Amino acid sequence: MENQDPNRQKRVSEKKKNNNILVKTAIVGVVAGLIGGGASYAVLDHMNQNSNNEAQTSISSTSSKLSKSSAKTSGTMTSAYDRVKGAVVSVINQKRQSSTSSNSIYSLFGGSDDSSGSKKSNKLETYSEGSGVVYMKSNGKGYIVTNNHVVSGSDAVEVMLENGKTVKAKIVGTDATTDLAVLSIDAKYVTQVAEFGDSKTLQAGQSVIAVGSPLGSEYASTVTQGIISAPSRTITTSSNQQTVIQTDAAINPGNSGGALVNSAGQVIGINSMKLSQSTDGTSVEGMGFAIPSNEVVTIVNQLVKKGKITRPQLGVRVVALDGIPEAYRSRMDIDSKLKNGIYIAQIESNGSAAKAGLKTKDVITKVDGKTISDVASLHSILYTHKVGDTVTVTVNRNGKNQDIKVKLQGN
C-alpha cells in the first residue's frame, strides 16, 4: 500500500470543511431573507366575521356550485395543482399617487387655503398584491373571488393571469364581514375555471395545497403543501367571529385570496390569514386559515346578484361545543350529554337575543328545528331569513331544552 502525503490529507480535510461552511451559510442566508419578508407581521392579513355554508344557493345554472365527490387523501398532488393552476391569478391593488402642494407658509403649520392640500394625480401605482380564483364564466365575464382586504381602498384593480398577461378587472361586490370580494374580467381571458368542493366533508389530517402569489406576482402560481389541521375553527377578534379552516400549508403575504385545494383539485377554501405570533410574543409556525368553500359559494353568489350582503343576526358570541375541551365543560355548566351545539359566551345588549330572553351559558342546539353544530351552520340558517323575520331558537339551559322566539335584527 502506497504512503500518502499527510499534509495533502490535511489540506483536503480543510477544503471539505470550508465547503460545508459555505453551503450552510448560503442556506441560512436564504432562510433569513424569506423570514425577514414576513416575520414582522403579528397577523399577516385581517379577516372578519360571519360566514355560512349554504353552498347549494346559486343565482343561475352557471353560478358556482359544490361538488360532493369524495377526494382521496393520499398520493401526489400534482394532478390537483394542474386542475386549478390556470384559475389562480394575482390581484393587483392600484392607488393614485398623492402629492402635497402649498403656496402659503400658513398652510405648512396647519392652516388651510384654496391653494394648498393633498391632490391625487392620474398616475396609478401598485399599492399591494394578493391572489384570486376564477370560479365562474358567464355572460361574457369571468368571475374571480378574492379577499376584501386585497382590493380595499383601491382606485383600480388589475389581474395577472397565469401566462403573465395583465388585464383590467372590475369590482362586482365586496363584503368586509366575511372578507370576500368578487371581481370580473372579460371572459376571453379565462382559460380555466376552478371547481368548489364541499368543505363540510373535510377531515383533520387530509392533504391540501395552497396556491397563490406569496410576496406578490413575482412568485405567482406558487404551490405549498400541508394538511387540514382543523376542519372547523372559530376565530374571534375584537369585533368579529368566523368559522375557518386551519391548515399548516405555508401561507404568506400575497397568498390572501388564493385557493386551498384538496387532492381532487377542488377549491375547499379561500386563504385569508396567517398567525405568525401569539399574543405573548411567541413565534408561531404553520397556522394558516381559510374561509370554507361552502360559505364562499353563498357569499359570492349574493355579491354577483346584489353587490352587497345584508344579514340578519342574533347578537351573540358563541363557541362550538366540539371546540371546547371536556375538562372545561363542567366549569362552563354545559350538559355532559350534549354533543352538538354552540355555547353562548356573550350577548349584545339590546340585540335580538337579549330582547328575546336568551342568556349566557345557554347552548343553542337548533334553529327552526334544524341542528346547529358550529357557527357556520347557524349562519347558514339565519341567512335564509330576512331582517325582521322571527325564528325559533332551541336552547339547552340547565340541562333542559326550551324553544325561544327571536325576532332578527340587521347587522
Side-chain angles (χ1 to χ4, degrees):
M1 186 174 183
E2 294 183 2
N3 294 327
Q4 294 184 351
D5 182 0
N7 292 328
R8 181 176 180 276
Q9 287 181 313
K10 184 177 181 180
R11 288 195 299 272
V12 170
S13 177
E14 288 179 349
K15 185 176 181 181
K16 289 182 178 179
K17 182 179 180 181
N18 290 335
N19 286 340
N20 287 336
I21 292 174
L22 288 173
V23 171
K24 291 178 181 178
T25 301
I27 293 173
V28 171
V30 172
V31 173
L34 292 176
I35 293 176
S40 61
Y41 293 82
V43 176
L44 298 177
D45 292 316
H46 178 65
M47 176 175 58
N48 290 318
Q49 173 208 0
N50 284 356
S51 53
N52 60 78
N53 62 350
E54 292 180 282
Q56 301 304 322
T57 301
S58 62
I59 59 174
S60 70
S61 60
T62 57
S63 294
S64 52
K65 297 179 292 184
L66 296 178
S67 173
K68 294 196 175 185
S69 60
S70 298
K72 295 180 180 180
T73 58
S74 61
T76 180
M77 298 294 280
T78 304
S79 59
Y81 175 64
D82 289 339
R83 291 191 62 181
V84 299
K85 65 179 181 181
V88 179
V89 300
S90 297
V91 179
I92 304 169
N93 180 325
Q94 295 184 315
K95 289 189 177 183
R96 290 188 174 87
Q97 283 182 303
S98 293
S99 58
T100 302
S101 61
S102 173
N103 294 323
S104 169
I105 295 178
Y106 172 64
S107 68
L108 294 176
F109 295 93
S112 62
D113 57 31
D114 294 337
S115 62
S116 66
S118 295
K119 296 181 180 180
K120 285 188 175 182
S121 69
N122 291 323
K123 185 178 180 181
L124 291 167
E125 287 191 343
T126 297
Y127 174 73
S128 62
E129 296 187 27
S131 305
V133 182
V134 182
Y135 70 91
M136 182 172 70
K137 186 176 180 180
S138 175
N139 299 322
K141 296 179 181 179
Y143 290 91
I144 300 168
V145 58
T146 185
N147 285 144
N148 174 65
H149 74 258
V150 170
V151 298
S152 180
S154 62
D155 290 314
V157 177
E158 288 187 337
V159 167
M160 192 181 84
L161 308 174
E162 185 203 12
N163 61 11
K165 183 178 181 61
T166 300
V167 299
K168 293 182 179 180
K170 178 183 178 182
I171 297 178
V172 176
T174 61
D175 181 44
T177 300
T178 55
D179 194 23
L180 290 170
V182 174
L183 311 176
S184 67
I185 59 174
D186 194 310
K188 68 182 181 182
Y189 298 118
V190 176
T191 59
Q192 189 173 14
V193 175
E195 175 188 28
F196 285 111
D198 186 357
S199 57
K200 291 293 289 184
T201 65
L202 296 178
Q203 297 180 351
Q206 180 176 338
S207 295
V208 290
I209 55 175
V211 187
S213 305
L215 305 184
S217 55
E218 182 180 358
Y219 295 96
S221 300
T222 291
V223 56
T224 56
Q225 184 172 6
I227 61 171
I228 297 294
S229 303
S232 179
R233 182 79 72 193
T234 300
I235 291 182
T236 302
T237 66
S238 59
S239 60
N240 298 291
Q241 187 177 54
Q242 186 168 357
T243 296
V244 294
I245 301 166
Q246 181 183 336
T247 179
D248 71 343
I251 295 175
N252 293 287
N255 273 119
S256 294
L260 189 67
V261 182
N262 64 18
S263 59
Q266 301 165 334
V267 177
I268 45 82
I270 296 298
N271 300 319
S272 186
M273 180 177 67
K274 175 185 178 181
L275 186 65
S276 64
Q277 192 175 77
S278 66
T279 54
D280 63 0
T282 303
S283 179
V284 177
E285 293 291 339
M287 292 190 69
F289 302 96
I291 306 168
S293 58
N294 290 31
E295 24 181 296
V296 172
V297 169
T298 302
I299 295 300
V300 297
N301 283 338
Q302 291 184 46
L303 288 177
V304 171
K305 186 176 182 179
K306 301 178 180 179
K308 62 180 182 179
I309 307 293
T310 301
R311 297 179 178 82
Q313 61 179 10
L314 288 179
V316 296
R317 286 185 178 277
V318 295
V319 180
L321 290 188
D322 61 8
I324 303 175
E326 290 290 340
Y328 289 94
R329 292 196 179 195
S330 60
R331 303 179 195 176
M332 299 168 71
D333 298 326
I334 298 174
D335 188 342
S336 59
K337 297 179 182 178
L338 289 178
K339 302 301 179 184
N340 293 306
I342 52 177
Y343 177 87
I344 299 180
Q346 182 180 343
I347 295 180
E348 297 177 7
S349 59
N350 298 319
S352 300
K355 292 179 179 179
L358 289 173
K359 298 180 179 180
T360 56
K361 297 186 178 183
D362 283 349
V363 176
I364 300 175
T365 57
K366 294 181 180 179
V367 175
D368 288 342
K370 299 177 182 177
T371 300
I372 301 298
S373 58
D374 53 27
V375 180
S377 59
L378 172 63
H379 293 159
S380 176
I381 297 171
L382 291 183
Y383 297 164
T384 63
H385 290 276
K386 298 178 180 179
V387 174
D389 285 355
T390 298
V391 297
T392 301
V393 179
T394 302
V395 300
N396 183 286
R397 181 182 295 172
N398 299 323
K400 296 181 179 180
N401 292 328
Q402 63 182 93
D403 293 336
I404 299 176
K405 300 288 185 179
V406 182
K407 186 176 181 179
L408 300 175
Q409 296 179 344
N411 59 322

